[in-house]
Amino acid sequence: MTIHEIQERPQLLIDQLVALWEGSVRATHLFLSTDEVTQIKAYVPQALRQVPKLVVLTDNDGEPVAFMGLTQHHLDMLFIAADQRGHGLGKQLLTYGIQQCGVDRLTVNEQNPGALGFYQHMGFQVTERSATDEQGQPYPVLTMRLG
């Protein structure tokens, strides 16, 4: 496994990351309907192109298996391929983010207890709760800071 900070974002990579995102969301965001996932998916390519720092973890064949997006010290997104969950890839990426990029805060869907537990295990603590997500949708989000 290799971690890459991505500068150029060709369409092939965007397509691979969107597919990875979708598989991850379908495995972890059980509170979203199929239609909601499809609607959100339409915005993912733009988010991947615009996030200031994109970090991708690739397998030995060079295929993306996880990624995270950062804005300064904030973790904007972290997704693991559905078939790679539970193998330490999230820990590897987040540790890189903390040590190399200064990540010290994030938001997480309250309805995603696996992610919440993971971030708590990694030393983050809930500091704030919002009844809606960043798009104003009725999905509570928690703001967390590295303790």
Side-chain angles (χ1 to χ4, degrees):
M1 300 286 177
T2 307
I3 293 177
H4 308 272
E5 289 192 27
I6 304 299
Q7 304 305 320
E8 294 188 24
R9 301 171 191 188
Q11 189 61 47
L12 175 60
L13 177 62
I14 296 296
D15 292 346
Q16 290 172 314
L17 296 182
V18 169
L20 190 158
W21 172 90
E22 184 174 11
S24 178
V25 166
R26 291 191 187 281
T28 60
H29 292 60
L30 304 179
F31 57 93
L32 294 174
S33 70
T34 300
D35 287 345
E36 289 168 318
V37 172
T38 301
Q39 289 172 355
I40 296 167
K41 181 180 174 182
Y43 300 101
V44 175
Q46 179 181 354
L48 290 169
R49 286 187 188 93
Q50 292 181 347
V51 69
K53 185 175 289 251
L54 180 62
V55 181
V56 176
L57 182 64
T58 58
D59 64 15
N60 295 335
D61 295 325
E63 297 296 317
V65 291
F67 70 90
M68 67 180 171
L70 314 169
T71 300
Q72 296 180 346
H73 303 288
H74 187 272
L75 177 68
D76 295 332
M77 58 183 89
L78 189 149
F79 293 96
I80 311 300
D83 64 345
Q84 296 292 322
R85 293 178 60 231
H87 297 165
L89 303 184
K91 181 177 183 178
Q92 189 176 348
L93 265 183
L94 187 54
T95 298
Y96 180 91
I98 292 167
Q99 293 177 350
Q100 303 300 318
C101 307
V103 169
D104 64 0
R105 58 192 181 279
L106 58 89
T107 56
V108 63
N109 288 97
E110 185 178 62
Q111 296 163 294
N112 186 349
L116 175 60
F118 166 71
Y119 292 127
Q120 288 172 325
H121 175 75
M122 293 295 292
F124 286 81
Q125 299 171 355
V126 175
T127 59
E128 201 175 313
R129 181 186 186 274
S130 173
T132 59
D133 67 11
E134 294 84 358
Q135 288 75 40
Q137 297 300 314
Y139 307 116
V141 292
L142 304 171
T143 299
M144 302 183 80
R145 283 194 158 281
L146 190 57

